[in-house]
Amino acid sequence: MNHLHACPQCDALHTDVDLQAGESAVCGQCASVLDKASSLTVSGWLALVLGAIILFLSANIAPVVHITLQGHRISPNFPEAIALSWQQGHHSLAIMGGLLGVVFPLLMLLYRLWALLVIRSGRLPLDFSLGLRVLGILQHWSLVPVVFLAMIVALVKFAGLAQVTPAYGLWAYAVLMLVYTSASRLSVQKLWNMAAEKGMVIASAPMSSDDFIGCSACGLVQTPDEDAPCLRCNATLHKRKPDMQNRAWAFLITAMLLYVPANILPIMVLTTPMGSSAHTILGGVIELWESGSADLALIVFTASIVVPFTKFVALVVLLCGAHRWKGRVVQRQRTRIYELVEFIGQWSMLDVFVVLLLGAMGNFPGLSQIIPGSAALSFGLVVVLTMLSALSFDPRVGWDARTAQQRSVKAIRENSDLKVE
Ligand SMILES: [Zn+2]
Ligand SMILES: [Zn+2]
């Protein structure tokens, strides 16, 4: 029997298709990519995740740069940068940077390792579904590639102030970013499918009516049954994300309000024997531009100013027309906008990590000191709140707005056949 899958973006039902390595299954209704086949076996994934963990540890223990200023030399790494901002009293900023840049990525790799070991052993522990649910949450909040980009920006910004030499940690981070991105393709859904293939959990549920609900935690399609939890993973089932409009608007409006101090207040304060100077986000971009790093100035401008603003506009557009049906083409475009918002979400955290890193790189007591300004926390909160707003939004609601005729079995059959690309 073919297993059923409900598209997470539009809720169209699909049956399994056999994919060759490198092929993708694309939803016939909303055109989002449902699955990308990989040639890796359980052991292959294990090797990849183990490699990522070793790289992650060495990249965070080794110094990222050696900095020499007037005979003094320091060699900071990323965890030291976070510890320093904690010592300077910026506790919330240190917690935010530490969780998103170090703790969550490491936990995410460890959870994947554990799930793969469980699947390889063939014996299911009681907390398997709880572990995978935690992994499902963590995967939105682990920002390794952003930390690496922040290292490059911090390095270039600091190059004019002191003698800066890249160290082992930076190269390890560069390799880690590639391995980590590959390991991130091992989604929670893939892990459930692997366990189902080995017969450790059920692969499909008996369907007793035409109505169905796809579990947001494990993907199992099943017949809704009052308040009963998911048959496979025990998660609470929701046909659609609860209280979408209220939650998404609340997060979004708070983010918009915080965006004002984030841009007006200084994001960092540089103190030297000559005096101290405060720098705003836009000021930092202009400094990068004037110092001859036009490409980095553009990257920081995009990540810190264009991306948050685009997210605001996109979320307002999505939320305002969420329950209106304007045809398949428009609804597909709206689905693409939502995927874009999800994809770019994390990149605006760049400036927060840059400030944390600069704090450690410029820490020469008596000679120079870089301290995060009050905008750093506001800006970090803007990013977190817009990500929460996007996570509260349910893209399936737009497809629900079709008329009964457009939703008929015939129309769905025409629209929802899987395409293999
Ligand atoms: Zn779809
Ligand atoms: Zn489930």
Side-chain angles (χ1 to χ4, degrees), residues 216-292:
S216 58
C218 76
L220 186 76
V221 174
Q222 52 208 286
T223 307
D225 180 13
E226 288 292 307
D227 291 330
C230 172
L231 287 174
R232 179 158 75 178
C233 75
N234 224 20
T236 313
L237 291 173
H238 296 289
K239 181 79 178 159
R240 297 292 175 259
K241 288 179 190 169
D243 210 12
M244 172 184 109
Q245 289 282 348
N246 288 343
R247 282 196 204 193
W249 276 115
F251 288 131
L252 182 60
I253 291 169
T254 322
M256 284 171 163
L257 292 176
L258 280 168
Y259 189 60
V260 179
N263 277 291
I264 295 176
L265 297 175
I267 193 154
M268 61 180 190
V269 181
L270 171 66
T271 311
T272 59
M274 274 88 80
S276 65
S277 54
H279 300 249
T280 57
I281 290 180
L282 199 58
V285 173
I286 296 168
E287 277 161 33
L288 267 177
W289 184 276
E290 284 174 347
S291 70

Side-chain angles (χ1 to χ4, degrees), residues 163-198:
Q163 194 196 331
V164 180
T165 335
Y168 171 77
L170 187 74
W171 310 125
Y173 240 101
V175 185
L176 169 68
M177 191 181 71
L178 300 176
V179 180
Y180 187 88
T181 311
S182 309
S184 302
R185 297 230 303 271
L186 181 62
S187 61
V188 173
Q189 187 73 59
K190 262 203 174 85
L191 287 163
W192 276 110
N193 291 347
M194 283 178 179
E197 266 167 38
K198 286 196 90 180

